[in-house]
Amino acid sequence: MAISVKVFASLREDLGVDRARINPSKADTARQVWQQITSREPPGNLLCAVNHQYVNLDSRVRDGDEVAFFPPVNGG
Amino acid sequence: MLIEIRPEPFDPWAEVSIHPERCGVEAGSFGACSVFVGSMRDFNLGDTVHCMELEHYEGMTEKLLADHAGAVIDRYGLTELLILHRVGMIYPGDPIVLVAAWSAHRAEAFDGCRDMMEHLKSRATFWKKESLEDTAEQRWVDNR
């Protein structure tokens, strides 16, 4: 198993990362997942979701989770 | 309740017209319908915009909208709620979003439609990238 990671919109272009798979032994929190895909500091307006629910970066993650990072939303 | 993310253009007024019958809601069972339609402008930040690409997070978008739509129906006692949103390439004048709320009386229809739309704007996982007419520059539309 693994933690799957998705990155959207301008953040995907900035990081050059679209999808990733993380070994669950390398990350206990969403912040540690972020640190696995980039060496950059998380931007102040970064949004994060785990399994389609908004969470903060200190939320726990586990094997099989889908973690998403994205900029502020802009629908409608 | 119907919520759809559509990659192809839609006619919001035709959708509103057919929706009650499509959902088995009988004429006479509601007394009000409030409709919001958002469409694409050909200008933004002083520039002329040629087209725009709408991206979304498949799965999360639908879940966010469905969860809040259920809450809105309960909160305002709506008879029916319809939400359509475009993704993909869109052009000036194209409808982007439709929110329509049916209820017994106008206040609930107005308020439920507004509540759903404000939630969509602030929480639903969509992003816009616009292409400018003159320079062919592409830029993400910020919502900070």
Side-chain angles (χ1 to χ4, degrees), chain A residues 12-75:
Chain A
R12 176 187 62 238
E13 295 185 356
D14 290 345
L15 297 181
V17 176
D18 178 10
R19 301 280 186 273
R21 291 178 72 79
I22 303 294
N23 184 330
S25 68
K26 306 262 187 190
D28 290 326
T29 65
R31 186 184 306 278
Q32 290 170 341
V33 172
W34 171 269
Q35 290 165 345
Q36 288 292 311
I37 63 167
T38 178
S39 58
R40 296 189 199 181
E41 285 296 308
N45 61 1
L46 179 68
L47 296 175
C48 178
V50 173
N51 300 331
H52 299 162
Q53 289 198 313
Y54 281 104
V55 298
N56 65 52
L57 287 177
D58 295 319
S59 293
R60 306 283 295 182
V61 296
R62 60 183 64 182
D63 194 7
D65 280 350
E66 178 174 297
V67 181
F69 298 106
F70 45 87
V73 298
N74 198 3

Side-chain angles (χ1 to χ4, degrees), chain B residues 1-2 18-26 80-82:
Chain B
M1 174 171 80
L2 177 66
I18 65 170
H19 187 70
E21 186 175 348
R22 172 169 62 191
C23 285
V25 176
E26 293 183 12
E80 181 55 30
L81 185 59
L82 168 64

Side-chain angles (χ1 to χ4, degrees), chain B residues 9 14 22-23 37 43 59 62 74 80 82-85 88 91 94 104 107 111-112 114 117 121 124 126 129:
Chain B
R22 172 169 62 191
C23 285
V37 175
F43 62 93
E62 292 86 343
D74 291 344
E80 181 55 30
L82 168 64
I83 303 162
L84 302 179
H85 201 292
Y91 296 87
D94 285 353
D111 294 347
R114 176 72 182 254
M117 190 57 215
K121 287 291 291 186
F126 294 98
K129 190 177 195 181

Side-chain angles (χ1 to χ4, degrees), chain B residues 99-114:
Chain B
V99 174
W102 286 262
S103 63
H105 303 287
R106 69 185 184 284
E108 292 79 9
F110 278 134
D111 294 347
C113 184
R114 176 72 182 254

